[in-house]
Amino acid sequence: MAVRSAARYPLADGFLMGASTSAHQTEGNNISSDLWALENTPGSVLPERSGDAADSFHRWPEDMDLLRELGFGAYRFSVEWARVEPEEGRLSRAAIAHYRAMVLGARERGLEPVVTLHHFTSPRWFSERGGWLAEDAAERFTAYARAAAEILGDEVRYVATINEPNMLALVHAMRRQASRAGGGTGAVAFDPAAVVPDEQVTHALVGAHRAAAGALREANSRYLVGWTVANQVYQPEPGAEDAVAAHRLPREDVFLHAARDDDWIGVQAYTRHRLGADGPLPVPDGAETTLTGWEYYPEALGEAVRHTRRVVGEHVPILVTENGIATGDDRRRIDYTEQALAGLAAAMRDGADVRGYLHWSALDNYEWGSYRPTFGLIAVDPHTFARTPKPSAHWLGALAREGYLPAGPTAADGNPLVRTLV
Ligand code: BGC
């Protein structure tokens, strides 16, 4: 039986408690995207294709109804560029109307829409003409962001331009190395932890983010624009502090530096990465791992928030836009999230300006190549698409409704942790 902390950190009015998804992972049949093309290439390196995903393209009203009924007040979802602009320069009015209905649907239900414009997938035409390295990539992305303003209207405040640019730059470098190492077969014959994100792609992404953010603010001054970074929570072994700082710079900090003039920064944390003087270390022997093979390490969230605050600066508010665990054991999801939230509460108590917590993920979904790692608060039947909230969804929804985070003891308050059995 799980032991639950009864210590509480009360949340300010307006704190966003909710859950996140992305379009490609939940909608299904994202056929004009680059990833759909890759998934459906004969002999693809991806073990499973996204197919119908969770059919959220049609079932989004049900997803939002559930989130509201569970007690949540916010929903992060993404607009799919490949649907809005399936061919270069040709906007789909139907797709714009679809996402506009989602924004209005969220508001009608009392859910704050947090909208991402690019979550890993690009239109196929964009990738085929050079992706982020094409000379006019920033211009193309900015034109799409301008078109997206019609979707966002006056109802959206929080807009994320690009999700995890650091992962995009890393995947680019990994693909290049894989094609060198495997002669184009995509076979991986190198250590992915040692790969450095592509510097040119990094530069292009920072440029595209800034240009799109400017265009969005110009379109509507109420938009709060930021981007969301994959926080790696690098931990040095004694003596490896400088090596870690050097390792972290191109993989994370450069993307945090780029957020210093933004309206907010998205923190996305799941696990930690330990490093010695000679580089990345494996997950410690005997440590619990999750369905993604990552170390079970709920402290990652609090540590990521503290690091982000240090690097970006205290003046930029933080939204936790992703945090969660891939597990088939929902009790473990509650344990993990409870501890992660206690770390978040401690960071907030120490002064971090955190405006929201959006759990990854609202639904079990397509985890970029496989349906096996289940991150969802809500289970989805792959054949009927029936949604079933898990106990964790009810547990987290109740925290949202009651407006507090579970909070462990801190040095600051010195109170003993009051524990009750549930
Ligand atoms: C991504 C999500 C992904 C999650 C778990 C983040 O990197 O933004 O799309 O599903 O982590 O891997």
Side-chain angles (χ1 to χ4, degrees):
M1 189 179 281
V3 176
R4 300 270 154 263
S5 159
R8 292 174 166 212
Y9 180 87
L11 293 168
D13 281 351
F15 186 91
L16 304 179
M17 276 287 269
S20 290
T21 56
S22 85
H24 189 81
Q25 293 176 272
T26 55
E27 288 180 342
N29 298 295
N30 185 18
I31 60 172
S32 303
S33 69
D34 53 356
L35 199 67
W36 180 271
L38 186 71
E39 288 164 17
N40 289 281
T41 302
S44 168
V45 286
L46 298 169
E48 277 185 278
R49 42 196 293 283
S50 54
D52 287 324
D55 192 29
S56 289
F57 190 78
H58 300 108
R59 292 167 202 259
W60 66 262
E62 191 184 341
D63 297 341
M64 290 192 193
D65 284 346
L66 274 175
L67 291 173
R68 183 208 42 204
E69 282 158 22
L70 286 162
F72 294 110
Y75 182 38
R76 172 179 177 233
F77 57 90
S78 71
V79 169
E80 185 61 48
W81 183 7
R83 289 192 196 271
V84 170
E85 193 178 357
E87 295 296 333
E88 184 172 356
R90 296 192 186 277
L91 297 180
S92 160
R93 298 302 318 164
I96 290 173
H98 171 87
Y99 289 114
R100 179 79 188 130
M102 284 185 76
V103 165
L104 295 176
R107 277 278 173 230
E108 278 157 18
R109 291 166 176 82
L111 295 170
E112 172 89 33
V114 176
V115 180
T116 310
L117 299 185
H118 186 281
H119 195 121
F120 289 161
T121 42
S122 296
R124 195 171 171 169
W125 61 260
F126 179 78
S127 295
E128 281 172 356
R129 67 205 276 299
W132 297 104
L133 292 181
E135 218 171 288
D136 61 348
E139 229 171 275
R140 299 307 327 155
F141 182 62
T142 304
Y144 156 60
R146 260 192 218 105
E150 191 182 336
I151 293 167
L152 309 171
D154 285 335
E155 288 74 18
V156 173
R157 289 188 299 155
Y158 290 99
V159 188
T161 56
I162 299 170
N163 178 70
E164 297 192 349
N166 48 338
M167 288 300 118
L168 285 175
L170 184 72
V171 166
H172 186 94
M174 283 169 66
R175 283 207 183 129
R176 223 185 23 211
Q177 281 214 23
S179 73
R180 274 193 210 130
T185 63
V188 179
F190 56 89
D191 174 9
V195 177
V196 184
D198 187 280
E199 212 176 311
Q200 268 178 291
V201 174
T202 298
H203 185 74
L205 288 165
V206 170
H209 166 61
R210 292 210 170 121
L216 285 162
R217 290 190 192 105
E218 214 169 89
N220 193 326
S221 58
R222 64 174 268 134
Y223 297 154
L224 302 171
V225 190
W227 68 358
T228 62
V229 173
N231 295 90
Q232 304 297 306
V233 189
Y234 292 114
Q235 293 183 349
E237 290 291 286
E241 290 78 6
D242 290 350
V244 164
H247 187 89
R248 191 171 51 210
L249 182 64
R251 292 174 174 82
E252 180 172 329
D253 288 358
V254 71
F255 298 90
L256 297 178
H257 291 152
R260 281 177 177 161
D261 293 329
D262 284 351
D263 302 313
W264 59 280
I265 171 81
V267 164
Q268 314 205 143
Y270 293 90
T271 187
R272 68 169 168 179
H273 295 89
R274 292 162 50 253
L275 278 101
D278 296 329
L281 298 169
V283 172
D285 279 346
E288 177 179 347
T289 54
T290 68
L291 289 175
T292 39
W294 302 342
E295 182 182 353
Y296 177 95
Y297 189 72
E299 296 89 340
L301 180 58
E303 292 175 26
V305 164
R306 288 171 195 273
H307 178 73
T308 298
R309 180 178 179 222
R310 253 192 319 271
V311 177
V312 181
E314 296 185 3
H315 63 288
V316 180
I318 290 171
L319 266 189
V320 176
T321 37
E322 291 185 23
N323 168 250
I325 174 173
T327 178
D329 177 354
D330 196 53
R331 281 168 313 180
R332 223 45 200 134
R333 188 180 331 280
I334 297 178
D335 294 341
Y336 174 94
T337 309
E338 179 175 56
Q339 218 183 321
L341 291 176
L344 178 65
M348 290 169 71
R349 196 174 268 153
D350 288 344
D353 179 7
V354 181
R355 305 284 173 92
Y357 173 84
L358 300 158
H359 189 84
W360 186 271
S361 178
L363 306 171
D364 284 343
N365 61 42
Y366 181 63
E367 179 58 22
W368 309 112
S370 169
Y371 280 99
R372 212 177 78 85
T374 42
F375 276 95
L377 296 168
I378 299 170
V380 178
D381 183 294
H383 301 293
T384 65
F385 305 108
R387 272 88 167 125
T388 310
K390 303 175 189 176
S392 56
H394 293 286
W395 170 80
L396 194 59
L399 294 189
R401 197 177 296 119
E402 290 165 30
Y404 72 90
L405 301 180
T410 65
D413 68 14
N415 285 332
L417 179 64
V418 184
R419 286 185 169 282
T420 51
L421 289 175
V422 294

